[in-house]
């Protein structure tokens, strides 16, 4: 109910003609689409879980407050959990998972995310969407080396500085995650690159 209402009365109007709206209105369109796609996916998952329970079957949770995530890795532990577990158990782990060298692990992740993109559809935009998340997760893996500094746990930093970083960093991680996820929905939505170009120009260059 919520997903269809948002889609028909708000999101589709902006995404179908992005150049007719301001950059701020296009930004609201992204937020609306983020809500639409969550209500859609999570809604039919809840329906399947509930109907199965009426028949005596227990399905696991498929969405766990994904927009509360503080990293892309955390997001994919909360969003479409059954899909993430499927690719982990049947693709990532058989390829070696984390038990291989760093560069082999990167290769394993590349395979997983290309397949994840293809699973969502045959359009090239879905592969691009998968590669986008692949790059973000690799970025987070590399960034982990600097996590002690960013979290304020390094003793060489002044005490006040450590406390400031400790308080601010969770907020900044959450903000980065939300921005990255919201942008990903633009790639997910558009299979036509001319339309993708128009909507990106509308988001970033139209006042």
């Amino acid at each position: 109910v919520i997903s269809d209402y948002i889609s028909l009365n708000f999101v589709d109007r902006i995404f179908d003609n992005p150049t007719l709206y301001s950059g701020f209105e296009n930004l609201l369109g992204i937020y609306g689409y983020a809500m639409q796609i969550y209500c859609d996916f999570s809604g039919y998952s809840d329906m399947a879980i509930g109907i199965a329970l009426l028949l005596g079957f227990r399905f696991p949770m498929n969405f766990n407050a994904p927009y509360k995530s503080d990293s892309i890795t955390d997001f994919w532990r909360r969003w479409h959990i059954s899909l993430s577990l499927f690719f982990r158990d049947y693709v990532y782990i058989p390829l070696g998972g984390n038990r291989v060298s760093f560069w082999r692990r990167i290769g394993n992740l590349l395979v997983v995310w290309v397949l994840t993109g293809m699973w969502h559809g045959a359009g090239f935009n879905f592969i691009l969407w998968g590669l986008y998340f692949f790059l973000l997760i690799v970025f987070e893996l590399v960034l982990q080396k600097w996590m002690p500094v960013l979290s304020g746990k390094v003793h060489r930093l002044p005490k006040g500085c450590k406390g400031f970083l400790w308080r601010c960093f969770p907020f900044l991680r959450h903000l980065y995650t939300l921005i990255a996820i919201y942008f990903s929905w633009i790639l997910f939505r558009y299979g036509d690159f001319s339309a993708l170009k128009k909507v990106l120009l509308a988001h970033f260059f139209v006042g």
Side-chain angles (χ1 to χ4, degrees):
V1 173
I2 296 174
S3 176
D4 285 353
Y5 183 84
I6 295 173
S7 174
L8 294 174
N9 296 284
F10 181 62
V11 175
D12 288 349
R13 298 181 184 184
I14 295 177
F15 276 77
D16 289 345
N17 296 285
T19 56
L20 299 180
Y21 299 90
S22 69
F24 178 71
E25 288 169 330
N26 274 273
L27 184 61
L28 291 179
I30 296 179
Y31 295 149
Y33 186 56
M35 181 61 68
Q36 172 197 333
I37 202 168
Y38 170 74
C39 289
D40 187 13
F41 285 7
S42 181
Y44 70 61
S45 294
D46 289 343
M47 291 168 64
I49 292 170
I51 293 171
L53 191 60
L54 291 173
L55 299 174
F57 300 98
R58 290 189 176 272
F59 288 172
M61 179 186 295
N62 203 29
F63 286 82
N64 183 21
Y67 291 137
K68 289 184 178 180
S69 306
D70 60 2
S71 69
I72 298 300
T73 303
D74 185 37
F75 174 75
W76 281 100
R77 293 190 183 114
R78 296 168 173 265
W79 178 278
H80 211 333
I81 298 171
S82 59
L83 180 68
S84 299
L85 293 178
F86 174 84
F87 279 110
R88 184 198 69 182
D89 294 342
Y90 294 100
V91 179
Y92 186 65
I93 291 178
L95 287 174
N98 299 339
R99 304 182 306 276
V100 293
S101 67
F102 177 78
W103 291 109
R104 175 75 180 278
R105 184 181 179 186
I106 298 301
N108 295 344
L109 287 170
L110 177 60
V111 173
V112 167
W113 283 104
V114 169
L115 291 176
T116 301
M118 294 173 64
W119 182 89
H120 282 87
F124 185 73
N125 64 304
F126 293 114
I127 297 178
L128 185 64
W129 176 81
L131 291 174
Y132 171 79
F133 276 113
F134 161 73
L135 291 175
L136 288 175
I137 288 177
V138 170
F139 167 73
E140 291 181 358
L141 286 175
V142 173
L143 193 64
Q144 284 178 359
K145 295 181 180 180
W146 289 274
M147 281 296 209
V149 174
L150 295 174
S151 64
K153 294 181 180 179
V154 175
H155 297 294
R156 292 192 301 271
L157 294 174
K159 184 176 180 180
C161 182
K162 287 189 291 184
F164 175 77
L165 289 173
W166 179 260
R167 289 192 299 271
C168 289
F169 189 50
F171 168 76
L172 294 176
R173 287 195 311 180
H174 182 62
L175 182 63
Y176 137 77
T177 303
L178 287 180
I179 292 173
I181 292 168
Y182 290 160
F183 179 75
S184 76
W185 297 136
I186 301 177
L187 301 177
F188 190 85
R189 170 108 182 191
Y190 286 100
D192 183 349
F193 278 95
S194 62
L196 177 61
K197 180 179 178 181
K198 288 179 181 179
V199 77
L200 288 176
L201 287 174
H203 277 94
F204 297 109
F205 298 106
V206 177

